[in-house]
């Protein structure tokens, strides 16, 4: 029995019907991890003792006849840039290799209040800088669907853990596609919420105007359930806000969903995507048309600038956020400890501690912000970002959601793109727009993206659940054998 | 004429408190040159009169009363203790650092 194969509701049913105990579930999950993760390498650290303690408390409550909530004992994998108190938090970087989180991120506090169990921290591209998880300082995570391929990034460890049933669900973070691309590559569900819907307190910041935490799950319903727990204004994150969500967030009204019109933005189709992706999306469109959903061709004219805007604004924010890693706060790289002069300490810690992609983005960010270049690059990018956002505002007056591919091509091989950063950056071409415009976006197997209006996660989750039910996706999620 | 010269890059590295080996520097110049060349296309976008989008939120500043929130304060003490225990070098509960001035 592997509880990692279950959805949230099925796990809860199994627990409260005493089919298995919380301790059984946790023990079995770690057995699965022990068997599979030496090949997949999704986890950077696990915390068996703490997980076991949590499970013991829940079993005692159940034995006393107490009612437990839907998330009780739920085994969750957490991306290693989200702080879980007293656990390592490395951001997959040498610079934080010895860092232990001193507090829980708000999302972790919420999940703990719901009695979920964090079973371990998952691998990522260092400081979430990457699209393949190959930029981790510690290990390469393999795609559980094909071990020669990357799992996507930067939340590759989380996506792989869910796809390989080494967790019921996981948390990731998304700045330019880092939840959605791995969800696509590993064939699981991934949700990037509206900017501000989920608190970033306790998320190691990459690009503060773009980052959001979100779930990676086996089903769209599970993504909705987790989002419902995570969301909400947090006084400790000034960019967070309360959306107006009703019951339809987790229980979509299919009559209402059927009335929707989905836009097909022409800039996301055509020469840029491979035949396999084209065929896949055509199949998805046909399935929705069977349900009488209406489609409309639309245009987002500034799409062609989105990647350039992203690769100016994001590195600028990264360079600012990485400035804090000075070897005095947080943690110290061993070679830097020997340096007694302040500047030498800084330089040694950062030069040894950061990997090449992070350095690349720090330098690119410094460049676009430097005098002489600021107006041509950064200021220009900020204005173009407004134009990109306006494109969406206009289109959302005519349609309820947009359907697009997630990636221009199928998952690429490990090692294939790592030495050419610009080629790697092109993987993000369909995902960055949702971050730039602050919009919610959902990825559903076999791999398509739904972009929604701000605060309208219910719409895209509803469309996703409708698609899933039609295709009975929940049966086929999960890799049963290595 | 490259988009970014070796000299500019060395200057930015110094400002960012990072050193690169000669080999790293060579590759970095090449990579950044390609990337800057790509993002440069933004120059031609018509943005006259457009407001910069400086934050993805339209929230305004929300103030709270200047009062101690006791349960938050207690949690903060726990966090503070954990941080103090993690100081790489300390003396009498204070973080010990290299000479600044």
């Amino acid at each position: 029995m592997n509880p990692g194969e279950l959805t949230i509701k099925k796990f809860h049913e199994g627990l409260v019907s005493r089919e298995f105990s919380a301790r059984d579930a946790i023990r079995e999950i770690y057995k699965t991890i022990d068997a599979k993760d030496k090949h997949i390498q999704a986890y950077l650290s696990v915390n068996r003792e703490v997980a076991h303690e949590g499970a013991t408390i829940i079993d005692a409550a159940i034995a006393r006849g107490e009612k437990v909530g839907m998330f009780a004992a739920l085994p969750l994998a957490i991306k290693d840039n989200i702080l879980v108190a007293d656990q390592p938090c490395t951001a997959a970087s040498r610079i934080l290799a010895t860092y232990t989180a001193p507090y829980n991120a708000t999302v972790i506090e919420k999940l703990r209040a719901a009695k979920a169990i964090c079973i371990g921290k998952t691998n990522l591209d260092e400081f979430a800088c990457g699209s393949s998880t190959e930029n981790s300082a510690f290990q390469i995570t393999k795609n559980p669907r094909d071990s020669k391929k990357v799992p996507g990034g930067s939340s590759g460890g989380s996506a792989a853990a869910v796809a390989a049933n080494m967790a019921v669900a996981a948390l990731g973070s998304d700045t330019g596609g880092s939840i959605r691309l791995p969800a696509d590559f590993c064939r699981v569900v991934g949700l990037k919420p509206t900017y501000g819907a989920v608190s970033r307190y306790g998320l190691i910041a990459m690009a503060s105007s773009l980052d959001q935490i979100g779930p990676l799950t086996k089903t769209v319903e599970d993504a909705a359930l987790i989002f419902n727990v995570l969301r909400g204004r947090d006084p400790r994150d000034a960019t967070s806000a309360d959306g107006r969500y009703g019951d339809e967030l987790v229980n979509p009204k299919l009559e209402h969903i059927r009335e929707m019109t989905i836009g097909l933005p022409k800039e996301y189709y055509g020469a840029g995507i491979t035949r396999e992706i084209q065929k896949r999306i055509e199949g998805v469109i046909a399935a929705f048309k069977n349900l009488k959903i209406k489609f409309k061709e639309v245009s987002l004219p500034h799409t062609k600038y989105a990647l350039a805007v992203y690769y100016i604004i994001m590195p600028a924010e990264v360079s600012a956020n990485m400035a804090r890693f000075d070897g005095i706060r947080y943690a110290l790289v061993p070679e830097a400890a020997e340096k007694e002069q302040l500047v030498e300490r800084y330089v040694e810690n950062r030069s040894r501690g950061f990997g090449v992609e992070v350095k690349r983005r720090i330098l690119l960010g410094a460049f676009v912000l430097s005098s002489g270049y600021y107006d041509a690059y950064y200021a220009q990018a900020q204005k173009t970002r407004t134009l990109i956002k306006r494109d969406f505002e206009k289109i959302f007056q005519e349609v309820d959601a947009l359907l697009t591919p997630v990636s221009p091509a199928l998952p690429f091989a490990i090692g294939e793109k790592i030495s050419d950063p610009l080629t790697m950056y092109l993987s993000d071409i369909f995902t960055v727009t949702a971050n730039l415009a602050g919009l919610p976006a959902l990825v559903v197997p076999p791999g398509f993206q739904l972009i929604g209006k701000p605060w309208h996660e219910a719409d895209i989750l509803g469309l996703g659940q409708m698609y899933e039910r039609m295709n009975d996706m929940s049966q086929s999620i999960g890799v049963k054998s290595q | 004429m490259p988009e970014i010269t070796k000299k500019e890059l060395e200057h930015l590295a110094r400002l960012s408190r990072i050193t690169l080996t000669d080999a790293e520097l060579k590759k970095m110049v090449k990579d950044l040159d390609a990337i800057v060349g790509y993002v440069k296309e933004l120059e031609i976008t018509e943005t006259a009169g457009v407001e910069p989008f400086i934050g993805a939120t339209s929230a305004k500043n929300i103030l709270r009363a200047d009062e101690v929130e006791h349960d938050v304060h207690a949690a903060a003490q726990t966090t503070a203790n954990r941080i103090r225990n993690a100081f790489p070098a300390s003396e009498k509960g204070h973080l010990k650092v290299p000479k600044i001035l």
Side-chain angles (χ1 to χ4, degrees):
Chain A
M1 168 301 274
N2 178 13
E5 292 173 12
L6 303 172
T7 61
I8 293 176
K9 280 186 174 168
K10 288 244 164 1
F11 182 90
H12 180 67
E13 276 163 31
L15 184 71
V16 297
S17 67
R18 315 232 182 166
E19 199 187 307
F20 51 81
S21 69
R23 271 168 299 177
D24 287 338
I26 295 304
R27 194 180 309 122
E28 288 302 315
I29 275 275
Y30 282 124
K31 263 205 214 149
T32 306
I33 291 172
D34 288 336
K36 291 185 174 180
D37 208 41
K38 53 170 102 64
H39 306 291
I40 297 175
Q41 305 240 278
Y43 283 95
L44 288 172
S45 66
V46 291
N47 50 0
R48 294 169 211 259
E49 298 77 29
V50 175
H52 183 80
E53 272 168 37
T56 305
I57 292 170
I58 291 164
D59 281 338
I62 293 175
R64 286 193 299 270
E66 287 170 27
K67 218 165 158 267
V68 291
M70 173 132 41
F71 279 71
L74 193 70
L76 297 175
I78 308 293
K79 187 177 184 181
D80 205 21
N81 61 353
I82 296 171
L83 268 59
V84 176
D86 296 324
Q87 299 301 320
C89 201
T90 66
S93 178
R94 269 205 81 208
I95 220 170
L96 290 179
T98 57
Y99 183 64
T100 301
Y103 60 92
N104 285 313
T106 295
V107 292
I108 299 299
E109 277 183 358
K110 291 186 169 199
L111 290 168
R112 281 172 59 81
K115 306 282 191 283
I117 293 180
C118 161
I119 47 174
K121 309 302 291 299
T122 56
N123 200 20
L124 60 153
D125 283 293
E126 186 180 356
F127 287 107
C129 293
S131 309
S132 65
T133 309
E134 293 173 288
N135 289 311
S136 167
F138 303 123
Q139 63 203 41
I140 301 236
T141 298
K142 300 186 184 62
N143 190 324
R145 310 294 183 183
D146 179 341
S147 62
K148 296 208 172 54
K149 302 283 198 290
V150 300
S154 58
S155 311
S158 282
V162 175
N165 298 320
M166 296 190 288
V168 171
L171 290 191
S173 70
D174 190 309
T175 305
S178 287
I179 286 173
R180 292 165 286 153
L181 191 67
D184 179 71
F185 279 14
C186 293
R187 301 225 168 178
V188 296
V189 174
L191 173 71
K192 181 200 88 67
T194 306
Y195 183 83
V198 175
S199 170
R200 292 179 299 110
Y201 181 78
L203 168 69
I204 297 179
M206 179 194 163
S208 309
S209 80
L210 299 161
D211 294 343
Q212 269 292 280
I213 293 174
L216 289 116
T217 57
K218 299 183 199 302
T219 64
V220 177
E221 183 180 39
D222 281 4
L225 290 168
I226 294 184
F227 172 65
N228 201 29
V229 173
L230 300 182
R231 65 179 178 83
R233 189 182 154 260
D234 180 10
R236 294 170 298 187
D237 174 2
T239 61
S240 69
D242 281 318
R244 269 191 302 275
Y245 299 104
D247 181 64
E248 67 274 6
L249 182 65
V250 289
N251 294 312
K253 291 194 175 57
L254 293 183
E255 337 75 79
H256 173 64
I257 303 289
R258 243 186 261 274
E259 304 278 297
M260 287 188 179
T261 303
I262 299 179
L264 298 170
K266 64 177 209 253
E267 293 83 3
Y268 289 63
Y269 294 91
I273 62 179
T274 64
R275 269 182 31 90
E276 293 98 340
I277 301 290
Q278 179 70 34
K279 279 181 74 82
R280 179 198 289 176
I281 301 290
E282 280 167 7
V284 171
I285 294 172
F288 273 119
K289 279 185 172 166
N290 267 336
L291 298 170
K292 312 285 186 257
I293 300 274
K294 296 181 287 295
F295 280 88
K296 187 174 184 184
E297 255 207 26
V298 296
S299 174
L300 297 162
H302 292 89
T303 302
K304 59 181 181 275
Y305 302 120
L307 207 58
V309 168
Y310 178 74
Y311 276 101
I312 290 172
I313 292 180
M314 177 273 290
E317 295 184 9
V318 167
S319 73
N321 281 323
M322 294 299 112
R324 69 194 67 190
F325 298 108
D326 52 14
I328 293 173
R329 306 174 183 87
Y330 311 111
L332 187 58
V333 163
E335 296 89 335
E338 299 156 20
K339 300 293 180 186
E340 303 201 337
Q341 295 299 311
L342 186 68
V343 174
E344 281 177 15
R345 172 79 64 98
Y346 289 160
V347 171
E348 192 70 11
N349 195 60
R350 294 164 66 80
S351 305
R352 300 250 183 208
F354 287 135
V356 70
E357 182 59 37
V358 172
K359 284 178 183 164
R360 203 174 278 137
R361 295 186 189 199
I362 290 172
L363 294 169
L364 182 55
F367 175 75
V368 303
L369 290 171
S370 60
S371 72
Y373 295 112
Y374 182 98
D375 285 320
Y377 293 102
Y378 188 70
Q380 184 71 345
Q382 286 181 313
K383 293 178 184 176
T384 313
R385 188 174 177 180
T386 299
L387 295 175
I388 289 170
K389 189 166 201 281
R390 281 189 199 162
D391 279 359
F392 281 103
E393 283 164 6
K394 236 172 92 205
I395 245 52
F396 280 137
Q397 287 170 6
E398 305 170 38
V399 301
D400 298 288
L402 300 167
L403 175 69
T404 79
V406 187
S407 160
L410 295 175
F412 45 91
I414 294 171
E416 187 181 319
K417 300 196 179 188
I418 194 67
S419 22
D420 185 355
L422 191 54
T423 307
M424 185 71 86
Y425 295 169
L426 293 172
S427 315
D428 299 337
I429 203 153
F430 299 133
T431 47
V432 296
T433 48
N435 303 84
L436 291 171
L439 303 171
L442 177 73
V443 164
V444 181
F448 63 92
Q449 172 173 238
L450 291 165
I451 304 176
K453 298 178 191 178
W455 308 103
H456 282 242
E457 283 83 350
D459 291 350
I460 54 179
L461 289 165
L463 284 164
Q465 283 208 58
M466 174 180 257
Y467 178 85
E468 221 172 40
R469 283 177 210 189
M470 171 174 42
N471 289 279
D472 210 18
M473 292 307 290
S474 34
Q475 300 290 336
S476 51
I477 298 298
V479 177
K480 296 288 204 283
S481 58
Q482 262 293 88
Chain B
M1 174 63 189
E3 303 297 350
I4 176 167
T5 66
K6 185 162 171 279
K7 201 150 170 271
E8 278 175 327
L9 196 57
E10 282 171 325
H11 176 61
L12 293 170
R14 218 169 8 252
L15 289 175
S16 308
R17 297 293 183 252
I18 293 172
T19 50
L20 300 165
T21 64
D22 266 334
E24 285 170 339
L25 199 57
K26 256 180 101 180
K27 177 136 203 323
M28 191 66 80
V29 170
K30 191 161 153 279
D31 290 333
L32 288 180
D33 194 57
I35 297 165
V36 174
Y38 176 82
V39 301
K40 233 181 142 196
E41 67 183 50
L42 228 48
E43 280 181 337
I44 61 165
T45 325
E46 193 48 65
T47 57
V50 180
E51 282 299 299
F53 189 129
I54 50 176
T57 179
S58 51
K60 304 271 188 283
N61 273 337
I62 300 165
L63 304 178
R64 67 170 179 87
D66 187 15
E67 284 159 6
V68 175
E69 291 171 338
H70 285 284
D71 50 350
V72 174
H73 186 66
Q77 279 305 305
T78 313
T79 302
N81 289 335
R82 283 187 178 118
I83 292 173
R84 267 187 220 108
N85 291 335
F87 284 164
S90 65
E91 204 171 280
K92 298 183 187 151
H94 296 285
L95 173 65
K96 212 156 84 159
V97 302
K99 200 152 89 160
I100 309 286
L101 297 168

